[in-house]
Amino acid sequence: MKRNLFLVLPLLALIVLGEACSTKSDPIPAPTPPLGTFSGTGKLLVKKSGNTTYDTVKKASPLLLTMTSSGTFKVTGDTLTVHAGSKGLFQLAYASNGTFVYFIDSTYKVGPQTKIHLAGTYQYAFDNGTGNLIIQRSNSVQDSVLRYDLKKISN
C-alpha cells in the first residue's frame, strides 16, 4: 500500500504543477459602459497635406451627450452651427482591437450634410474614475478624425 502511495504522489504533484503553470488566460472583464450625461466639444481634425499632424477644421461649441442604460442617446447643447442635434439608439461592442460604440441617429438622412451628426461606429475610451470619455472615428473619405472630448457631469 505504501509503495502505491509513493508512485501516486509524484504523479499527483506533476498534475498540480502542470495546472499551475498552464498558459490559460483569465477572461478580460468588459469595460464600464459610458452611461450618464457628458459635457464637452467635438472637433473635426484633418491631416495637413504631406504631413503627419492634424489641423482643427471645425470645432463644435459645447455639447451635451446623454447615454442611458436603455440604449438611447441624445446630443443637445449648441447645435445651431457645426453639430446637429442627434438622438437615437446606441450599441456597445468590445473587441481585441478596442471598445466601440455604434450610434444609430434617427435624425440622420443620407446625402450631403451641412452639420456633423453622431452616427456610425466610433472607438471610445472611458475612465469611470475621472469621468473622462473620448469618442473618435476616422473618416475613410479624407484623412480626418472626428473626435469628442467629454467629461461626465451627471448620472
Side-chain angles (χ1 to χ4, degrees):
M1 180 76 165
K2 287 183 183 179
R3 184 174 175 200
N4 289 341
L5 186 61
F6 285 121
L7 292 175
V8 173
L9 284 177
L11 183 59
L12 185 59
L14 284 175
I15 292 171
V16 170
L17 183 62
E19 260 318 292
C21 295
S22 68
T23 57
K24 59 184 173 196
S25 60
D26 293 331
I28 299 171
T32 305
L35 302 177
T37 301
F38 299 85
S39 175
T41 58
K43 52 190 150 195
L44 178 62
L45 306 171
V46 176
K47 193 174 280 188
K48 294 178 183 178
S49 178
N51 206 335
T52 58
T53 59
Y54 288 89
D55 278 338
T56 302
V57 174
K58 291 183 177 181
K59 186 171 184 178
S61 298
L63 299 172
L64 291 176
L65 169 64
T66 303
M67 298 174 72
T68 68
S69 60
S70 62
T72 62
F73 81 95
K74 67 180 175 181
V75 175
T76 56
D78 184 359
T79 57
L80 296 176
T81 55
V82 176
H83 206 288
S86 300
K87 65 180 178 178
L89 303 173
F90 74 90
Q91 295 174 336
L92 301 176
Y94 310 107
S96 60
N97 60 341
T99 52
F100 298 88
V101 58
Y102 179 62
F103 292 101
I104 305 162
D105 184 358
S106 63
T107 67
Y108 182 81
K109 305 293 182 225
V110 177
Q113 304 295 316
T114 57
K115 296 181 188 178
I116 297 170
H117 284 259
L118 190 59
T121 303
Y122 293 75
Q123 191 163 17
Y124 78 91
F126 176 55
D127 182 345
N128 195 37
T130 63
N132 292 327
L133 173 64
I134 297 171
I135 301 173
Q136 69 181 29
R137 178 183 73 190
S138 296
N139 188 344
S140 59
V141 176
Q142 63 188 47
D143 205 1
S144 65
V145 174
L146 182 57
R147 179 182 170 119
Y148 297 85
D149 293 306
L150 306 166
K151 178 83 172 173
K152 189 170 188 175
I153 58 171
S154 71
N155 289 327

